[in-house]
Structures are given as structure tokens and as C-alpha cells.
Amino acid sequence: MARRQLGKKPFDMSARVPMQLGRESISSSTVAVSELIKNGYDADAEDVHVEFYLRDSPALSTLVIRDDGNGMDTETIADHWLKIGTDFKNGIELSINKKRILTGAKGLGRLGLDRLSKKVILFTKKKGSNSIIQLVVDWRKYEKTNASISEIQHDIYEQDLPLSGKYGDIFTSAEQSGTYMVLVGLKDNWTSGFIEDLKQELRLLISPYSTANDFSVILHQTLNNTQLPPEIVDTQELLKAASWEVKAAVDDNNRVKLSFKNNSTGEKIEQVPTPWRNWISKQGDKPLFGPLSFEFHYMVRSKEFFSKVDMSARNWSKFMELNRGVRIYRDDFRVRPYGEPTGKGDWLDLGYRKAASPGGIKQGGWRIGPSQIIGAVSISKTTNAILNDQANREGIVENEAYLQLRTFVLKVISTFEFLAHKNAQDNDDIDLAAELEKVVKEKDSELNEAIDKVRAFSKKKNKNKKKAPPAKVLNQKLRDLERAKVAHQTALDEYYLYMKKEREKLEEQKDTLSNLASLGVLTVSFGHEIRTHSALALKNARALTKVIDIAKDTGKDIDLKQLVEITNRMVIGAHYVDTFSKLAINNIKPDKRTRTKVNVPDTFNYIFDMMAATFEKMGLQWSFKFVRIKKEDFNVRSYAIDWESIAINLITNSTWALEDTPRDERRIEVLFERVGGTRLKLAFMDSGCGLEAGQEDTIFLPMHSRKIDNKGNSIGTGMGLSIIKGQVEDHMSSGAITAQQYSELGGAGFYIEVLQDN
């Protein structure tokens, strides 16, 4: 069958389509204004002014939106602004001058103008130009017509400088640039409530850490010729309503300065400036980066918060979604992607930290969530040159200085977490049992008072000289009250007995769990040693097999000297595995979970002997000293497994702390001392790096480990010293444990005081 082409036709579009796109793709007039302001942001504007000139009738009202952005020329207006759904921004991620991430890409935002007004008069110019481009769009041309969209024409004019209009100066000099839009004949009645909604919408666009070189929106209102003061749409009030405000800095003298402000109580805590080397372990005498500052606000969504700020809960959620996390600013400009509301923006892994320790603020190991923090690190190109950008502009080069910066920021956050946790616990430190007993005593007092009143009433007549009730009736009342009191006391006695039994049961369960925790500490601590020595035994077993196979293949006699050497190494490895295994198995036995008289020096000596190979490999020297007490007298009624886990934990902490100490200076000293009467003290000291400033208290918190990698992430369990603290304080009579940043040996010191068991 023959086929004849009749011609070619493109899709056409009715002129009504732009109105439908503008009205249906943009949810509200406040969003439409927001979209227009985003265009100013994408055009590198620093200031956008939103000016309402309101009359009694919306049709007589006008809205002016002006910015100081890059502006447009005739070509840009014709090829992009008047082109619906343009791909002008597609593939372009950053703005021309300020390198901002572009907020718009669909090319539909300007259609929101149809939703807002009947007509728009647009003035725009680029910097350096002596002429102004004017565009007039009358949206009524698109109504009730069957014309195609391409048939609707809009007037474009060129005007000379300077240019002023009904609402003031438009452009007055060639150095100015930007866009000035006059929306004539508004379609909405912009009441005060409506404008408040707009302010809340605009707050979502403004960073709480905006700077003079960043971005701001200024709102103006003129109501029936009465001009109101201009209002900057600001988010600083939100920061002021934060629960905590934290500021940190590293100064020119390599000192760390910290301050914490509790906005609920007004209390401010300032840390004494601390030398860098004392504030963070194993990071040198000074930071690799230069002076910088870091501040953040802890934001808690609560009734108290919303009473301080003018923002709905819904908009608050949007605001936090856009601004949460910690950003980095270099000379007041954002460094991307840090702090972006994406997974990549969480450069501190705050989400991971929170997921690993999801408990509330009153629980040990509490971690701040990424949606609870708004923060900024401020660096400078002149003082932090080593923190330079990657070639692809996708962040800072992850060199040692960057990793150290990350460690610093995480340490500040960790310090705050301890302080906020302690504050929350102090505020909730109520002894419920004591409160109950107080209530019971009050009720008991009321009961006794009632009995006394009845007795007093039976001994006198009333004021009207009437006879008192018969003695029989009064005596019956007294007996009823006495029975009630007895029943009341019986119930109390039964309650206290029940609570005592429950407490004993809980204590027993707690002891069992603590013993299991001790066993866990032993297993984790020795896991590396066992693996090392089992690998040694396996390696030598393979070497032995190889020697035998070579002798078999060649027919030569086996070298007995070599055979003995290999066998001895196998025996050493197997011996250590056997020793460690016996330790673990023995700790399962019931006697290890029974309180007995434990000779602590013997236990420590047993563990130190087990670690002899590790000490020899490290070149570590150790010694025991006794002051005012003999070895055989240092006995404590306790669990043997507790002292074993204490010794192992302190040893493994020390070996980590001694890694950077010169080999010939590596020492551990354990001091056993009588400090008075039956009071004993054990001091465990090393010559390692010591504790970080302020760690004397935090080191015993659950999930708090001083062992971190070069990125600032914790590599320890953070449970060892916390478990030790529980063992000492809960399982030993008048037991107490403390830590010291630097001991007599130069490294950290841990001190345990207990009562002697005679």
C-alpha cells in the first residue's frame, strides 16, 4: 500500500497551560513568594527585599520583590526566563559567583507570579550595564482564549539609568545589578496572619549561621500609606531558644577554650584554657590546623521551646531538616557538603553515634542526635591553609589536618554530652523510696491526729452545753481507728518486707550480670592476645610440616636443632592459648562468683605473669611496691573475677597509652598501700600519654572510650572502666575509684580504695 506524507506538525500548547502549571504546581501563595526568593538566592543575591503596599482591596495592592543578584540581559530573558520548564539550571549545581547549590531546576517557579497577581512588571540589569531591561507580563492575556502559547506576546523595553518608580529607586548606577519585580493587582488578601505565615515559610530559607556575605530576606509593609519598620526574617531567635549553647575555639597559642551555657537556668560554665597536648591524647603538642572556632546549639522540641519562638511544630520540623548538623564556613562562605541535609552531609557520623547508643539523656552513654544540633565550624584561608578544597570542589581534602579537625569537633560534642547528661541526672535525682516513706509518715501522722481529736472530744462537752456522745459510741470509734492504724501498719510492714526481698533479688541479679560483664571484659581484653599466640602456634605447626615434607622429598635427615626451635615456639604459643583458656573457663566456676577473702597482689601478679610475653615484646618494665603493709595482708572481701578484670582492663589501657612512649621509658607501677586503719589503697600508674583534660570524671561513663582512631571515632567499647567502677563501688565495702590525668610516672593514674578483710 502506498504511503504519502502530508507534512509535519509539532505538539502545540494552549495559552491556558501556564496558568494551570503555576496554580497547580505551587501549593500556596506563601510558597510562590518563597520560590521567587529562591530565584534571587540562585542569582547570588545577598539581600532580597519583599515589600507589601497594601490597600483595603487586594486588587489595588502591590507587591515588590527586589534583589541584588546577578541580573539578566535581553538574551537571558528571551531564552530562559520566558521559556517554561527551561533546562537552564539542569547540570549546573553551583551558582556563578558565590558557588551556592542551586535551589531551583524545573524552571516553573516564575509561574507562581500568576498565582500572586494579575500583572508583573520586571526590571533587571547586569553589573556594569548602563541600560535596564523591562519586561511586562499581563497574565490576563492567558484567560479565556484558544490561542497557542506562542501567540501570546510580551513587551520588552530598554530604559536608561537612573530609573525610579512609584515605590522608589529601581536602579541608579552601572555598578548595581539584580532584579526588581512589581506585582500589580494582588489576588490574595495579605492579612497580618497571612504575612506571619509567609515569615515562617521564609525562615526555612535562612541559615541560623548566616553572615554579611551570605543571604538575608528583609520584609517591608506599607498599609494604607502607613509604613511599618522593615523586619529582617531572622532565625537567631530560634538559636536563643535552644536548651544549650556551646562555644569552642583553638587560639593562636594552641589552647582550647570551651564555654557551655544552659539557656534554661542561665548558668554558664567556662573551661580554663587548656594546652592542646593536654586536651586531646596522641595528637601532638599543637594542632595541624590553625586557629578556628566551633559553636553549636542543642535544640530540643518541647512546649517550653515553642513558647519562646513564633514557629509551628510543622515548620520547626522543616527548619531542622534543612539546618541540622554541623556546617563548615571558610571566611564566611559555606564549604559543601558539610551539614547538608543528606547522608553525605553528616561528616561527623552523628546519626551512626546515636544509633549505636539510642538511650535518653538521663542514661549513660547518651549521644546527641543529628536532628538536635545546629552548628558551625569557622575556618579561614589565611590561618587554615592546610584545610584546602579538593580539586572537584566536593569538600576539604581529607588529610591529617582535616581528620584532626573532625576529632576536635567530636571531642567538644562528647564533652557537652557528658555535661548535659550529668545536668539531666542532677535535676531528676529523686529518691522514690524516700518520697514514698515521706508520704506514708504524713498519712500516719494524720491518723494519729484523728485519734487524738476523738479522745479529746470524749473528755469535754461542746460549746452549746449539750451532752457529749455516749462513752460507748466514742469507745467504738476509738477501737475502729486503732484497728485501722494496726491494719495500716501491717500493710506497711508487708510492703517493706516485699520491697526488701525484691531489692535483694535485684541485687543478686545485678551481681550475676556484673560477673558476666567482668567475664566479657576478660574475654575482649585477652581476645587479641589469644589470637596472636594461636596464630604463632599455627604458623610454627605449618613450618614443622614443611621441614618434615622437605626431608621426606629429598631423603635428607631432619635438622634436629631446627626441629627443636620450631617445636619450642609451638609450645610457647600453645601454652599461652592454654593459659588464657583456663582463665576464661575458671571464671565460669561458682567460686569465682562468690565473695571471698581475695589477696589482691596475688591476683595482679597472676595476670601480669600471663602478660609477660606482651610486656617483653613492648619492652615494658613493671613493678609492685608495698607501703605500710605486707603483701599477704592486702586482702579484700570481694569477687576474685572482679580483681582479674580490673587488672586486665588497667593493663590493656596502659599498653595503648604507652604505644607512643619511647621503648626504654615504658613503665607500669602498682602500689599497694595502707592509708589508715583498715583502709587500703591500690595505685595503678604508667608512663604513657595520660588522660585528656576533664577526663578524670568522664572516663568512668558507659560508652565513653579514650581510644579513638585518626578520624575521632571511638575504637574501644567504652564499658571496661564503667564496669570496674561498678565492681569497686557495689561489690567492695566502702569501695571507691578515682582517676588522675598525670601520675608520678607521668602517665595516667587510677586509684582504688577499699576496706581490708581481716
PDB file of all heavy atoms in Angstrom, residues 632-645:
ATOM      1  N   GLU A 632      50.893 -10.202 102.041  1.00  0.00           N
ATOM      2  CA  GLU A 632      49.885 -11.177 102.484  1.00  0.00           C
ATOM      3  C   GLU A 632      48.727 -10.541 103.250  1.00  0.00           C
ATOM      4  O   GLU A 632      47.701 -11.203 103.489  1.00  0.00           O
ATOM      5  CB  GLU A 632      50.537 -12.272 103.338  1.00  0.00           C
ATOM      6  CG  GLU A 632      51.289 -11.747 104.545  1.00  0.00           C
ATOM      7  CD  GLU A 632      52.742 -11.468 104.249  1.00  0.00           C
ATOM      8  OE1 GLU A 632      53.089 -11.295 103.049  1.00  0.00           O
ATOM      9  OE2 GLU A 632      53.534 -11.421 105.207  1.00  0.00           O
ATOM     10  N   ASP A 633      48.873  -9.268 103.632  1.00  0.00           N
ATOM     11  CA  ASP A 633      47.810  -8.598 104.389  1.00  0.00           C
ATOM     12  C   ASP A 633      46.878  -7.766 103.514  1.00  0.00           C
ATOM     13  O   ASP A 633      45.876  -7.234 104.002  1.00  0.00           O
ATOM     14  CB  ASP A 633      48.418  -7.681 105.463  1.00  0.00           C
ATOM     15  CG  ASP A 633      49.154  -8.467 106.536  1.00  0.00           C
ATOM     16  OD1 ASP A 633      48.766  -9.639 106.752  1.00  0.00           O
ATOM     17  OD2 ASP A 633      50.108  -7.919 107.131  1.00  0.00           O
ATOM     18  N   PHE A 634      47.201  -7.630 102.234  1.00  0.00           N
ATOM     19  CA  PHE A 634      46.349  -6.812 101.356  1.00  0.00           C
ATOM     20  C   PHE A 634      45.212  -7.691 100.833  1.00  0.00           C
ATOM     21  O   PHE A 634      45.189  -8.119  99.687  1.00  0.00           O
ATOM     22  CB  PHE A 634      47.157  -6.232 100.186  1.00  0.00           C
ATOM     23  CG  PHE A 634      46.530  -4.995  99.578  1.00  0.00           C
ATOM     24  CD1 PHE A 634      47.062  -3.740  99.822  1.00  0.00           C
ATOM     25  CD2 PHE A 634      45.406  -5.095  98.765  1.00  0.00           C
ATOM     26  CE1 PHE A 634      46.502  -2.604  99.267  1.00  0.00           C
ATOM     27  CE2 PHE A 634      44.835  -3.974  98.201  1.00  0.00           C
ATOM     28  CZ  PHE A 634      45.374  -2.723  98.451  1.00  0.00           C
ATOM     29  N   ASN A 635      44.251  -7.956 101.737  1.00  0.00           N
ATOM     30  CA  ASN A 635      43.112  -8.828 101.426  1.00  0.00           C
ATOM     31  C   ASN A 635      41.820  -8.009 101.434  1.00  0.00           C
ATOM     32  O   ASN A 635      41.612  -7.149 102.292  1.00  0.00           O
ATOM     33  CB  ASN A 635      43.012  -9.957 102.447  1.00  0.00           C
ATOM     34  CG  ASN A 635      44.260 -10.817 102.462  1.00  0.00           C
ATOM     35  OD1 ASN A 635      44.723 -11.280 101.422  1.00  0.00           O
ATOM     36  ND2 ASN A 635      44.827 -11.024 103.655  1.00  0.00           N
ATOM     37  N   VAL A 636      40.948  -8.334 100.488  1.00  0.00           N
ATOM     38  CA  VAL A 636      39.664  -7.622 100.368  1.00  0.00           C
ATOM     39  C   VAL A 636      38.567  -8.648 100.155  1.00  0.00           C
ATOM     40  O   VAL A 636      38.714  -9.585  99.353  1.00  0.00           O
ATOM     41  CB  VAL A 636      39.691  -6.633  99.177  1.00  0.00           C
ATOM     42  CG1 VAL A 636      38.344  -5.913  99.065  1.00  0.00           C
ATOM     43  CG2 VAL A 636      40.826  -5.638  99.319  1.00  0.00           C
ATOM     44  N   ARG A 637      37.474  -8.495 100.892  1.00  0.00           N
ATOM     45  CA  ARG A 637      36.325  -9.382 100.684  1.00  0.00           C
ATOM     46  C   ARG A 637      35.615  -8.943  99.406  1.00  0.00           C
ATOM     47  O   ARG A 637      35.020  -7.864  99.341  1.00  0.00           O
ATOM     48  CB  ARG A 637      35.375  -9.332 101.874  1.00  0.00           C
ATOM     49  CG  ARG A 637      34.234 -10.342 101.750  1.00  0.00           C
ATOM     50  CD  ARG A 637      33.499 -10.530 103.069  1.00  0.00           C
ATOM     51  NE  ARG A 637      32.463 -11.527 102.954  1.00  0.00           N
ATOM     52  CZ  ARG A 637      32.665 -12.841 102.935  1.00  0.00           C
ATOM     53  NH1 ARG A 637      33.895 -13.316 103.045  1.00  0.00           N
ATOM     54  NH2 ARG A 637      31.671 -13.691 102.822  1.00  0.00           N
ATOM     55  N   SER A 638      35.682  -9.792  98.392  1.00  0.00           N
ATOM     56  CA  SER A 638      35.171  -9.396  97.076  1.00  0.00           C
ATOM     57  C   SER A 638      35.098 -10.620  96.176  1.00  0.00           C
ATOM     58  O   SER A 638      35.346 -11.743  96.610  1.00  0.00           O
ATOM     59  CB  SER A 638      36.083  -8.332  96.460  1.00  0.00           C
ATOM     60  OG  SER A 638      37.424  -8.797  96.459  1.00  0.00           O
ATOM     61  N   TYR A 639      34.771 -10.373  94.905  1.00  0.00           N
ATOM     62  CA  TYR A 639      34.765 -11.431  93.905  1.00  0.00           C
ATOM     63  C   TYR A 639      36.154 -11.489  93.258  1.00  0.00           C
ATOM     64  O   TYR A 639      36.694 -10.459  92.827  1.00  0.00           O
ATOM     65  CB  TYR A 639      33.728 -11.165  92.814  1.00  0.00           C
ATOM     66  CG  TYR A 639      32.294 -11.158  93.289  1.00  0.00           C
ATOM     67  CD1 TYR A 639      31.595  -9.961  93.417  1.00  0.00           C
ATOM     68  CD2 TYR A 639      31.634 -12.344  93.574  1.00  0.00           C
ATOM     69  CE1 TYR A 639      30.271  -9.946  93.828  1.00  0.00           C
ATOM     70  CE2 TYR A 639      30.308 -12.349  93.995  1.00  0.00           C
ATOM     71  CZ  TYR A 639      29.639 -11.143  94.123  1.00  0.00           C
ATOM     72  OH  TYR A 639      28.331 -11.139  94.536  1.00  0.00           O
ATOM     73  N   ALA A 640      36.709 -12.690  93.137  1.00  0.00           N
ATOM     74  CA  ALA A 640      38.030 -12.830  92.510  1.00  0.00           C
ATOM     75  C   ALA A 640      38.000 -12.374  91.054  1.00  0.00           C
ATOM     76  O   ALA A 640      38.943 -11.748  90.552  1.00  0.00           O
ATOM     77  CB  ALA A 640      38.495 -14.282  92.596  1.00  0.00           C
ATOM     78  N   ILE A 641      36.883 -12.654  90.375  1.00  0.00           N
ATOM     79  CA  ILE A 641      36.771 -12.298  88.958  1.00  0.00           C
ATOM     80  C   ILE A 641      36.818 -10.787  88.770  1.00  0.00           C
ATOM     81  O   ILE A 641      37.296 -10.281  87.751  1.00  0.00           O
ATOM     82  CB  ILE A 641      35.473 -12.890  88.352  1.00  0.00           C
ATOM     83  CG1 ILE A 641      35.471 -12.708  86.829  1.00  0.00           C
ATOM     84  CG2 ILE A 641      34.242 -12.270  88.973  1.00  0.00           C
ATOM     85  CD1 ILE A 641      34.292 -13.367  86.145  1.00  0.00           C
ATOM     86  N   ASP A 642      36.329 -10.040  89.774  1.00  0.00           N
ATOM     87  CA  ASP A 642      36.356  -8.579  89.678  1.00  0.00           C
ATOM     88  C   ASP A 642      37.793  -8.070  89.609  1.00  0.00           C
ATOM     89  O   ASP A 642      38.137  -7.236  88.770  1.00  0.00           O
ATOM     90  CB  ASP A 642      35.645  -7.945  90.876  1.00  0.00           C
ATOM     91  CG  ASP A 642      34.136  -8.020  90.756  1.00  0.00           C
ATOM     92  OD1 ASP A 642      33.648  -8.452  89.689  1.00  0.00           O
ATOM     93  OD2 ASP A 642      33.434  -7.653  91.720  1.00  0.00           O
ATOM     94  N   TRP A 643      38.644  -8.571  90.498  1.00  0.00           N
ATOM     95  CA  TRP A 643      40.027  -8.099  90.527  1.00  0.00           C
ATOM     96  C   TRP A 643      40.782  -8.519  89.273  1.00  0.00           C
ATOM     97  O   TRP A 643      41.657  -7.795  88.791  1.00  0.00           O
ATOM     98  CB  TRP A 643      40.733  -8.607  91.780  1.00  0.00           C
ATOM     99  CG  TRP A 643      40.302  -7.872  93.021  1.00  0.00           C
ATOM    100  CD1 TRP A 643      39.546  -8.347  94.036  1.00  0.00           C
ATOM    101  CD2 TRP A 643      40.610  -6.507  93.339  1.00  0.00           C
ATOM    102  NE1 TRP A 643      39.340  -7.372  94.985  1.00  0.00           N
ATOM    103  CE2 TRP A 643      39.991  -6.226  94.577  1.00  0.00           C
ATOM    104  CE3 TRP A 643      41.331  -5.502  92.707  1.00  0.00           C
ATOM    105  CZ2 TRP A 643      40.080  -4.982  95.189  1.00  0.00           C
ATOM    106  CZ3 TRP A 643      41.425  -4.254  93.311  1.00  0.00           C
ATOM    107  CH2 TRP A 643      40.806  -4.002  94.549  1.00  0.00           C
ATOM    108  N   GLU A 644      40.460  -9.684  88.722  1.00  0.00           N
ATOM    109  CA  GLU A 644      41.107 -10.115  87.483  1.00  0.00           C
ATOM    110  C   GLU A 644      40.733  -9.179  86.331  1.00  0.00           C
ATOM    111  O   GLU A 644      41.587  -8.768  85.542  1.00  0.00           O
ATOM    112  CB  GLU A 644      40.710 -11.555  87.160  1.00  0.00           C
ATOM    113  CG  GLU A 644      41.322 -12.568  88.119  1.00  0.00           C
ATOM    114  CD  GLU A 644      40.810 -13.981  87.890  1.00  0.00           C
ATOM    115  OE1 GLU A 644      39.919 -14.145  87.028  1.00  0.00           O
ATOM    116  OE2 GLU A 644      41.286 -14.912  88.570  1.00  0.00           O
ATOM    117  N   SER A 645      39.433  -8.839  86.233  1.00  0.00           N
ATOM    118  CA  SER A 645      39.013  -7.946  85.152  1.00  0.00           C
ATOM    119  C   SER A 645      39.559  -6.538  85.362  1.00  0.00           C
ATOM    120  O   SER A 645      39.886  -5.837  84.397  1.00  0.00           O
ATOM    121  CB  SER A 645      37.489  -7.916  85.032  1.00  0.00           C
ATOM    122  OG  SER A 645      36.900  -7.332  86.175  1.00  0.00           O
TER     123      SER A 645
END
